[in-house]
Amino acid sequence: MSNPLNRRKFLGAAGAVGVTTALASCAPAMGMGEAKPNLDATIFNFALNLEYLEAAFYLAAVGRLEELDSVGGNSSKVILPAGFTGKNGDGVKFQSADVRAYANEVATDELNHVRIIRKVLGFGAVAQPTLDLGPAFLAAGSAASGGAITGFNPFANDLFFLHGAFIFEDVGVSAYKGAARLLSDTSAGGNLENAAGILAVEAYHAGMIRTLLYQQRDTQVTPALKVSDVVQAISNLRDSVDGATDVDQGILENGAANIVLADSNGIAYSRTPRQVGNIVFLAVDAVKGGFYPDGLSGDFSKILAL
């Protein structure tokens, strides 16, 4: 069967495809001499589902959610907190110009990720699923804090926006790292080289979020919880649902700054598609729920079972 994707066309995007493009490619390595199954279309559609989510989150934060419709998304299928539209300038009332600039930059990045993946997939691109950026965050905030945080709204202010972004960013980096060993094209300008470039960009994003949160580490979020406590709680929640391994960290490690999320060898962690699914569905072995109340668009049973 021929490859449903044009590899040169994809590589020509040179980093335009987002980190989640590789999330679904974390299948077990094949034996020596065996050909890897062609899962490209499945991989990129899994990625597209996740890019829809990231694009919607950042676009809503900067009041540009209507732009999702221009690239094949569907802003009407995005559930937001009551009274907040995320459109036509109705975004987070940012107090920090730096945070606003970051949010706008990443919103454009994620919008472009949706655009390029849909272009590569053509008629095979899946439609945007229903995305929950309201109740899902309420549930995540409550679960991460043991019920101490209620009514968590990532669009309420700068700090809550950063906490919301923190939920996503580190997951993408670990997912792309997990996919690196499975890429077979190691030629100059090939898949592995481009994957490394995309991973670097996503790591910049994650590092920026972690730095901004670290700068406010002692700010009280509740009478009992500081920013560093909430970040650690989110990290613990991700780690509790993604499996038995410990592949997550907060912004403090033994009281010192921990901006770079890495193991004892200074190497980024890896996650499989199933682990990523557990996080975005907010439940172990689930196929829907959390940020995807009706599930993903498309059939990903093969890669989620790996």
Side-chain angles (χ1 to χ4, degrees):
M1 178 178 179
S2 62
N3 190 335
L5 300 180
N6 183 316
R7 188 181 71 83
R8 290 187 179 277
K9 182 179 179 182
F10 173 70
L11 293 179
V17 178
V19 63
T20 50
T21 296
L23 294 181
S25 64
C26 306
M30 303 297 291
M32 293 297 291
E34 296 181 32
K36 292 181 180 179
N38 184 350
L39 296 173
D40 286 10
T42 303
I43 290 167
F44 294 133
N45 267 318
F46 188 84
L48 183 56
N49 275 274
L50 297 165
E51 293 290 4
Y52 282 136
L53 176 65
E54 290 185 301
F57 172 74
Y58 285 104
L59 288 169
V62 295
R64 295 166 47 194
L65 185 59
E66 68 275 9
E67 294 181 31
L68 188 61
D69 301 327
S70 69
V71 297
N74 188 341
S75 60
S76 67
K77 295 184 70 174
V78 180
I79 302 170
L80 295 166
F84 178 77
T85 70
K87 298 181 179 180
N88 301 312
D90 178 27
V92 177
K93 304 302 186 286
F94 290 106
Q95 297 299 308
S96 167
D98 289 342
V99 177
R100 181 186 295 108
Y102 165 79
N104 263 303
E105 179 181 2
V106 178
T108 299
D109 287 344
E110 301 302 345
L111 188 67
N112 286 335
H113 294 168
V114 172
R115 178 182 289 112
I116 188 61
I117 296 176
R118 285 184 59 88
K119 182 178 180 180
V120 170
L121 286 166
F123 291 113
V126 295
Q128 178 198 306
T130 298
L131 305 173
D132 186 344
L133 296 177
F137 275 111
L138 295 178
S142 178
S145 65
I149 296 177
T150 59
F152 177 65
N153 177 0
F155 307 110
N157 53 53
D158 299 38
L159 191 55
F160 282 12
F161 163 74
L162 292 174
H163 282 118
F166 177 76
I167 292 175
F168 300 131
E169 292 293 348
D170 289 335
V171 178
V173 174
S174 61
Y176 217 107
K177 163 60 167 47
R181 66 183 176 83
L182 304 169
L183 297 174
S184 57
D185 183 0
T186 60
S187 62
N191 289 338
L192 184 57
E193 184 175 333
N194 279 280
I198 298 168
L199 172 57
V201 171
E202 295 298 336
Y204 283 137
H205 289 173
M208 185 184 301
I209 282 288
R210 296 174 73 91
T211 298
L212 291 170
L213 286 167
Y214 179 78
Q215 291 171 346
Q216 300 189 63
R217 62 192 179 280
D218 293 326
T219 300
Q220 294 292 143
V221 179
T222 72
L225 297 173
K226 298 182 295 186
V227 166
S228 59
D229 299 322
V230 176
V231 170
Q232 186 62 56
I234 293 172
S235 173
N236 291 345
L237 175 63
R238 293 188 309 213
D239 227 356
S240 68
V241 299
D242 70 3
T245 56
D246 184 1
V247 295
D248 219 306
Q249 297 167 358
I251 53 175
L252 292 176
E253 190 78 5
N254 298 321
N258 190 49
I259 304 304
V260 180
L261 178 56
D263 66 15
S264 59
N265 295 311
I267 296 174
Y269 291 109
S270 302
R271 280 191 174 95
T272 66
R274 181 64 267 174
Q275 289 176 306
V276 173
N278 291 348
I279 293 172
V280 299
F281 299 136
L282 297 178
V284 177
D285 294 334
V287 294
K288 65 179 181 178
F291 298 101
Y292 297 90
D294 300 325
L296 304 177
S297 287
D299 181 5
F300 304 101
S301 55
K302 290 182 180 179
I303 58 175
L304 288 175
L306 294 173

